Amino acid sequence: MILVGQYDSPFVRRVAIALHEYGLPFERRSLSVFKDFDAMLALNPAGKVPSLVLETGETLFDSCAIIDFLDGEAPPAHRLAPADQPARRRVLQLEVMGITLAEKTYERGIERNRRAPTTRDPAWAARLERQILSLSTWLEAEAAGGWFHGDRFTRADLAVAVAVQYRDRVVPRLGGPDCFPKLDTHRRRCEARPSFQRVPDAVDEALRSGWQGSA
């Protein structure tokens, strides 16, 4: 399999970590949605990352859809989401909130890194920051000190940990241990896992794509 995208993207990083959690070998094609946009459009009609090219030649899009496919292919004992309700609903809800936190953080970064100063919208930036804080506050309240659901690492833990790490890099003033201590502890616990350590946040790749640092 070939994973397309840079590890500064929380969505690409999430898929790569999941692949390691499932014990699936893969190659990576490090393309930027900005600097390599034409190549990205040839792979994905939306020009977005991640894309996962399967051994059959089929290409899958969207991090949530990719992980859902991988989870369905894994043996039941190694799946990162429970099969039965309401446990499955709980894990997927938490996963969605983690993904949304990453999405809103990404949108806030775009305001700083991809818009000219004269076209930035302070009201929109303020709205995004309210969403980031609201999501973080909700997830902090849901964090129990261990894994988000039960006694096993799940897709919820993966999505939240990657999103919190990304938030703290892109908008550090909106997070951190002083504001959200349980989320910070959870992130550090996940980052200690071998799967996370094999997929470090690639700030150098972000800089090569034209990002200017934190907002």
Side-chain angles (χ1 to χ4, degrees):
M1 291 185 287
I2 302 172
L3 176 61
V4 181
Q6 298 185 164
Y7 283 166
D8 63 296
S9 162
F11 313 106
V12 177
R13 187 171 184 238
R14 199 167 68 89
V15 171
I17 292 169
L19 285 164
H20 286 302
E21 287 283 343
Y22 293 124
L24 296 172
F26 66 96
E27 301 174 21
R28 184 166 68 103
R29 188 177 178 193
S30 180
L31 294 180
S32 165
V33 295
F34 298 109
K35 296 185 70 174
D36 305 304
F37 191 52
D38 289 341
M40 283 302 313
L41 282 173
L43 284 166
N44 181 330
K48 296 173 64 177
V49 291
S51 293
L52 183 67
V53 183
L54 305 181
E55 293 177 356
T56 61
E58 180 184 1
T59 302
L60 304 180
F61 313 125
D62 182 80
S63 62
C64 195
I66 292 170
I67 292 176
D68 196 60
F69 164 77
L70 296 174
D71 210 44
E73 294 293 299
H78 293 89
R79 290 175 183 166
L80 298 182
D84 298 330
Q85 302 290 1
R88 182 175 180 82
R89 185 166 66 249
R90 164 74 174 168
V91 167
L92 296 186
Q93 181 185 51
L94 288 161
E95 179 187 43
V96 166
M97 299 302 265
I99 294 169
T100 306
L101 175 59
E103 289 173 345
K104 296 305 173 183
T105 300
Y106 176 80
E107 291 177 30
R108 181 63 185 90
I110 287 289
E111 282 292 313
R112 170 183 170 84
N113 290 285
R114 293 295 169 181
R115 296 192 190 280
T118 55
T119 65
R120 294 174 188 165
D121 184 347
W124 181 246
R127 176 186 173 89
L128 291 170
E129 291 185 5
R130 286 187 65 188
Q131 289 176 295
I132 291 167
L133 288 171
S134 177
L135 286 159
S136 298
T137 300
W138 188 87
L139 288 167
E140 176 79 6
E142 295 295 316
W147 300 123
F148 267 96
H149 181 76
D151 58 359
R152 292 182 59 221
F153 176 86
T154 68
R155 286 164 55 174
D157 300 295
L158 170 56
V160 173
V162 170
V164 168
Q165 187 279 329
Y166 183 64
R167 180 205 64 194
D168 289 352
R169 170 162 67 81
V170 176
V171 281
R173 59 190 175 80
L174 298 182
D178 293 337
C179 297
F180 305 105
K182 288 192 289 185
L183 286 182
D184 185 70
T185 298
H186 176 266
R187 176 184 69 82
R188 294 180 186 279
R189 184 183 187 190
C190 290
E191 293 284 354
R193 294 175 71 85
S195 58
F196 278 73
Q197 293 183 2
R198 294 179 71 178
V199 190
D201 178 38
V203 179
D204 57 330
E205 294 183 0
L207 295 176
R208 285 199 298 270
S209 297
W211 286 78
Q212 302 170 21
S214 59

mmCIF file of all heavy atoms in Angstrom, residues 6 11 41 50-52 71-72 74 78 82 87 97 99 110 125 130 136 147 153 157 173 196 205 211 215:
data_model
loop_
_atom_site.group_PDB
_atom_site.id
_atom_site.type_symbol
_atom_site.label_atom_id
_atom_site.label_comp_id
_atom_site.label_asym_id
_atom_site.label_seq_id
_atom_site.Cartn_x
_atom_site.Cartn_y
_atom_site.Cartn_z
ATOM 1 N N GLN A 6 1.675 14.349 3.639
ATOM 2 C CA GLN A 6 2.747 14.726 4.553
ATOM 3 C C GLN A 6 2.324 14.493 6.000
ATOM 4 O O GLN A 6 1.144 14.610 6.347
ATOM 5 C CB GLN A 6 3.106 16.205 4.363
ATOM 6 C CG GLN A 6 3.635 16.522 2.974
ATOM 7 C CD GLN A 6 4.094 17.967 2.844
ATOM 8 O OE1 GLN A 6 4.798 18.301 1.915
ATOM 9 N NE2 GLN A 6 3.699 18.831 3.757
ATOM 10 N N PHE A 11 -4.482 14.432 9.488
ATOM 11 C CA PHE A 11 -5.301 13.409 8.838
ATOM 12 C C PHE A 11 -4.422 12.312 8.237
ATOM 13 O O PHE A 11 -4.731 11.123 8.352
ATOM 14 C CB PHE A 11 -6.188 14.065 7.785
ATOM 15 C CG PHE A 11 -6.873 15.304 8.300
ATOM 16 C CD1 PHE A 11 -6.463 16.564 7.900
ATOM 17 C CD2 PHE A 11 -7.890 15.209 9.237
ATOM 18 C CE1 PHE A 11 -7.061 17.711 8.404
ATOM 19 C CE2 PHE A 11 -8.504 16.341 9.748
ATOM 20 C CZ PHE A 11 -8.085 17.598 9.331
ATOM 21 N N LEU A 41 -4.356 16.322 -7.489
ATOM 22 C CA LEU A 41 -5.615 16.233 -8.229
ATOM 23 C C LEU A 41 -5.657 14.980 -9.101
ATOM 24 O O LEU A 41 -6.725 14.412 -9.333
ATOM 25 C CB LEU A 41 -5.812 17.478 -9.094
ATOM 26 C CG LEU A 41 -6.291 18.746 -8.373
ATOM 27 C CD1 LEU A 41 -6.276 19.925 -9.330
ATOM 28 C CD2 LEU A 41 -7.684 18.555 -7.792
ATOM 29 N N PRO A 50 -5.590 12.471 3.279
ATOM 30 C CA PRO A 50 -4.745 11.442 2.675
ATOM 31 C C PRO A 50 -5.464 10.674 1.574
ATOM 32 O O PRO A 50 -6.691 10.700 1.479
ATOM 33 C CB PRO A 50 -4.469 10.501 3.855
ATOM 34 C CG PRO A 50 -5.751 10.580 4.646
ATOM 35 C CD PRO A 50 -6.213 12.019 4.528
ATOM 36 N N SER A 51 -4.666 9.999 0.760
ATOM 37 C CA SER A 51 -5.157 8.963 -0.141
ATOM 38 C C SER A 51 -4.362 7.703 0.181
ATOM 39 O O SER A 51 -3.186 7.780 0.534
ATOM 40 C CB SER A 51 -4.950 9.349 -1.600
ATOM 41 O OG SER A 51 -5.755 10.444 -1.962
ATOM 42 N N LEU A 52 -5.008 6.565 0.065
ATOM 43 C CA LEU A 52 -4.335 5.293 0.298
ATOM 44 C C LEU A 52 -4.534 4.422 -0.936
ATOM 45 O O LEU A 52 -5.668 4.069 -1.284
ATOM 46 C CB LEU A 52 -4.890 4.584 1.533
ATOM 47 C CG LEU A 52 -4.186 3.275 1.903
ATOM 48 C CD1 LEU A 52 -2.751 3.535 2.371
ATOM 49 C CD2 LEU A 52 -4.971 2.511 2.980
ATOM 50 N N ASP A 71 -10.147 -1.049 9.594
ATOM 51 C CA ASP A 71 -10.705 -1.673 10.789
ATOM 52 C C ASP A 71 -11.559 -2.881 10.411
ATOM 53 O O ASP A 71 -11.538 -3.912 11.094
ATOM 54 C CB ASP A 71 -11.541 -0.646 11.554
ATOM 55 C CG ASP A 71 -11.545 -0.902 13.055
ATOM 56 O OD1 ASP A 71 -10.467 -1.184 13.611
ATOM 57 O OD2 ASP A 71 -12.616 -0.812 13.662
ATOM 58 N N GLY A 72 -12.294 -2.752 9.311
ATOM 59 C CA GLY A 72 -13.133 -3.853 8.871
ATOM 60 C C GLY A 72 -12.345 -5.040 8.374
ATOM 61 O O GLY A 72 -12.819 -6.185 8.428
ATOM 62 N N ALA A 74 -9.332 -5.888 9.615
ATOM 63 C CA ALA A 74 -8.502 -6.428 10.690
ATOM 64 C C ALA A 74 -9.224 -7.565 11.419
ATOM 65 O O ALA A 74 -10.458 -7.603 11.468
ATOM 66 C CB ALA A 74 -8.168 -5.322 11.685
ATOM 67 N N HIS A 78 -8.060 -7.212 16.901
ATOM 68 C CA HIS A 78 -7.158 -6.098 16.639
ATOM 69 C C HIS A 78 -7.878 -4.848 16.136
ATOM 70 O O HIS A 78 -7.234 -3.858 15.816
ATOM 71 C CB HIS A 78 -6.096 -6.513 15.620
ATOM 72 C CG HIS A 78 -5.146 -7.544 16.129
ATOM 73 N ND1 HIS A 78 -5.382 -8.894 16.017
ATOM 74 C CD2 HIS A 78 -3.960 -7.422 16.788
ATOM 75 C CE1 HIS A 78 -4.379 -9.566 16.561
ATOM 76 N NE2 HIS A 78 -3.515 -8.705 17.042
ATOM 77 N N PRO A 82 -15.242 -1.032 18.685
ATOM 78 C CA PRO A 82 -16.098 -2.177 19.015
ATOM 79 C C PRO A 82 -17.163 -2.376 17.946
ATOM 80 O O PRO A 82 -17.549 -1.430 17.243
ATOM 81 C CB PRO A 82 -16.714 -1.788 20.355
ATOM 82 C CG PRO A 82 -16.620 -0.301 20.407
ATOM 83 C CD PRO A 82 -15.396 0.077 19.652
ATOM 84 N N ALA A 87 -21.512 0.756 22.413
ATOM 85 C CA ALA A 87 -20.078 1.032 22.538
ATOM 86 C C ALA A 87 -19.514 1.601 21.236
ATOM 87 O O ALA A 87 -18.718 2.553 21.260
ATOM 88 C CB ALA A 87 -19.347 -0.247 22.927
ATOM 89 N N MET A 97 -15.499 13.939 17.000
ATOM 90 C CA MET A 97 -15.172 15.193 17.682
ATOM 91 C C MET A 97 -13.672 15.476 17.625
ATOM 92 O O MET A 97 -13.254 16.631 17.480
ATOM 93 C CB MET A 97 -15.652 15.141 19.129
ATOM 94 C CG MET A 97 -17.159 14.962 19.256
ATOM 95 S SD MET A 97 -18.103 16.277 18.433
ATOM 96 C CE MET A 97 -18.388 17.371 19.810
ATOM 97 N N ILE A 99 -11.668 14.446 15.154
ATOM 98 C CA ILE A 99 -11.415 14.839 13.769
ATOM 99 C C ILE A 99 -11.859 16.280 13.539
ATOM 100 O O ILE A 99 -11.160 17.059 12.864
ATOM 101 C CB ILE A 99 -12.147 13.889 12.806
ATOM 102 C CG1 ILE A 99 -11.559 12.483 12.890
ATOM 103 C CG2 ILE A 99 -12.063 14.403 11.364
ATOM 104 C CD1 ILE A 99 -12.389 11.437 12.167
ATOM 105 N N ILE A 110 -5.173 28.101 8.195
ATOM 106 C CA ILE A 110 -5.303 28.643 6.846
ATOM 107 C C ILE A 110 -5.454 30.158 6.885
ATOM 108 O O ILE A 110 -4.901 30.878 6.048
ATOM 109 C CB ILE A 110 -6.509 28.003 6.126
ATOM 110 C CG1 ILE A 110 -6.195 26.550 5.747
ATOM 111 C CG2 ILE A 110 -6.899 28.798 4.880
ATOM 112 C CD1 ILE A 110 -5.186 26.394 4.644
ATOM 113 N N ALA A 125 -12.099 34.046 12.077
ATOM 114 C CA ALA A 125 -11.041 33.494 12.918
ATOM 115 C C ALA A 125 -11.530 33.341 14.357
ATOM 116 O O ALA A 125 -11.256 32.325 15.011
ATOM 117 C CB ALA A 125 -9.805 34.389 12.864
ATOM 118 N N ARG A 130 -13.517 29.855 18.845
ATOM 119 C CA ARG A 130 -14.584 29.431 19.770
ATOM 120 C C ARG A 130 -14.906 27.956 19.585
ATOM 121 O O ARG A 130 -15.134 27.228 20.565
ATOM 122 C CB ARG A 130 -15.837 30.268 19.542
ATOM 123 C CG ARG A 130 -15.756 31.695 20.075
ATOM 124 C CD ARG A 130 -17.103 32.392 19.970
ATOM 125 N NE ARG A 130 -18.103 31.764 20.832
ATOM 126 C CZ ARG A 130 -19.401 32.082 20.816
ATOM 127 N NH1 ARG A 130 -19.852 32.993 19.969
ATOM 128 N NH2 ARG A 130 -20.243 31.478 21.637
ATOM 129 N N SER A 136 -12.469 21.350 22.616
ATOM 130 C CA SER A 136 -11.468 20.962 23.606
ATOM 131 C C SER A 136 -12.092 20.821 24.987
ATOM 132 O O SER A 136 -11.777 19.879 25.739
ATOM 133 C CB SER A 136 -10.332 21.992 23.642
ATOM 134 O OG SER A 136 -9.661 22.067 22.400
ATOM 135 N N TRP A 147 -8.122 5.391 28.871
ATOM 136 C CA TRP A 147 -8.569 5.469 27.490
ATOM 137 C C TRP A 147 -9.970 6.059 27.463
ATOM 138 O O TRP A 147 -10.692 6.038 28.467
ATOM 139 C CB TRP A 147 -8.532 4.095 26.832
ATOM 140 C CG TRP A 147 -7.178 3.460 26.804
ATOM 141 C CD1 TRP A 147 -6.836 2.245 27.317
ATOM 142 C CD2 TRP A 147 -5.978 3.999 26.227
ATOM 143 N NE1 TRP A 147 -5.500 1.991 27.106
ATOM 144 C CE2 TRP A 147 -4.944 3.065 26.432
ATOM 145 C CE3 TRP A 147 -5.671 5.188 25.555
ATOM 146 C CZ2 TRP A 147 -3.642 3.261 26.002
ATOM 147 C CZ3 TRP A 147 -4.367 5.399 25.121
ATOM 148 C CH2 TRP A 147 -3.382 4.452 25.340
ATOM 149 N N PHE A 153 -7.025 0.949 23.781
ATOM 150 C CA PHE A 153 -6.813 2.031 22.825
ATOM 151 C C PHE A 153 -7.767 1.839 21.649
ATOM 152 O O PHE A 153 -7.866 0.748 21.094
ATOM 153 C CB PHE A 153 -5.358 1.985 22.361
ATOM 154 C CG PHE A 153 -5.004 2.983 21.290
ATOM 155 C CD1 PHE A 153 -4.635 4.274 21.620
ATOM 156 C CD2 PHE A 153 -5.014 2.615 19.944
ATOM 157 C CE1 PHE A 153 -4.297 5.187 20.634
ATOM 158 C CE2 PHE A 153 -4.671 3.510 18.958
ATOM 159 C CZ PHE A 153 -4.315 4.798 19.296
ATOM 160 N N ASP A 157 -9.262 7.387 20.802
ATOM 161 C CA ASP A 157 -7.987 7.832 21.389
ATOM 162 C C ASP A 157 -7.041 8.342 20.314
ATOM 163 O O ASP A 157 -6.364 9.359 20.490
ATOM 164 C CB ASP A 157 -7.339 6.675 22.153
ATOM 165 C CG ASP A 157 -8.213 6.170 23.280
ATOM 166 O OD1 ASP A 157 -8.451 6.933 24.234
ATOM 167 O OD2 ASP A 157 -8.671 5.016 23.204
ATOM 168 N N ARG A 173 -1.789 28.866 21.989
ATOM 169 C CA ARG A 173 -2.425 29.683 23.022
ATOM 170 C C ARG A 173 -3.843 29.210 23.347
ATOM 171 O O ARG A 173 -4.439 29.663 24.329
ATOM 172 C CB ARG A 173 -2.455 31.149 22.583
ATOM 173 C CG ARG A 173 -3.198 31.383 21.295
ATOM 174 C CD ARG A 173 -3.002 32.802 20.768
ATOM 175 N NE ARG A 173 -3.622 32.981 19.480
ATOM 176 C CZ ARG A 173 -4.921 33.191 19.304
ATOM 177 N NH1 ARG A 173 -5.732 33.241 20.345
ATOM 178 N NH2 ARG A 173 -5.423 33.372 18.093
ATOM 179 N N PHE A 196 2.813 5.748 17.392
ATOM 180 C CA PHE A 196 2.931 7.209 17.324
ATOM 181 C C PHE A 196 4.380 7.619 17.111
ATOM 182 O O PHE A 196 4.669 8.546 16.339
ATOM 183 C CB PHE A 196 2.399 7.844 18.611
ATOM 184 C CG PHE A 196 0.907 8.005 18.656
ATOM 185 C CD1 PHE A 196 0.084 6.900 18.841
ATOM 186 C CD2 PHE A 196 0.322 9.253 18.538
ATOM 187 C CE1 PHE A 196 -1.294 7.038 18.904
ATOM 188 C CE2 PHE A 196 -1.060 9.401 18.595
ATOM 189 C CZ PHE A 196 -1.875 8.293 18.772
ATOM 190 N N GLU A 205 8.207 19.322 7.093
ATOM 191 C CA GLU A 205 7.393 19.192 5.894
ATOM 192 C C GLU A 205 6.398 20.339 5.804
ATOM 193 O O GLU A 205 6.107 20.840 4.713
ATOM 194 C CB GLU A 205 6.673 17.843 5.884
ATOM 195 C CG GLU A 205 7.629 16.662 5.757
ATOM 196 C CD GLU A 205 6.912 15.320 5.674
ATOM 197 O OE1 GLU A 205 5.658 15.301 5.711
ATOM 198 O OE2 GLU A 205 7.608 14.296 5.566
ATOM 199 N N TRP A 211 4.019 26.890 5.358
ATOM 200 C CA TRP A 211 3.391 27.296 6.613
ATOM 201 C C TRP A 211 4.363 28.151 7.426
ATOM 202 O O TRP A 211 5.565 27.911 7.415
ATOM 203 C CB TRP A 211 2.948 26.073 7.405
ATOM 204 C CG TRP A 211 1.738 25.448 6.805
ATOM 205 C CD1 TRP A 211 1.697 24.652 5.703
ATOM 206 C CD2 TRP A 211 0.397 25.585 7.244
ATOM 207 N NE1 TRP A 211 0.405 24.292 5.425
ATOM 208 C CE2 TRP A 211 -0.421 24.843 6.359
ATOM 209 C CE3 TRP A 211 -0.212 26.264 8.304
ATOM 210 C CZ2 TRP A 211 -1.806 24.762 6.494
ATOM 211 C CZ3 TRP A 211 -1.584 26.164 8.449
ATOM 212 C CH2 TRP A 211 -2.360 25.439 7.543
ATOM 213 N N ALA A 215 -0.226 30.194 15.082
ATOM 214 C CA ALA A 215 -1.063 31.386 14.941
ATOM 215 C C ALA A 215 -1.432 31.955 16.299
ATOM 216 O O ALA A 215 -1.468 31.256 17.280
ATOM 217 C CB ALA A 215 -2.338 31.031 14.189
#
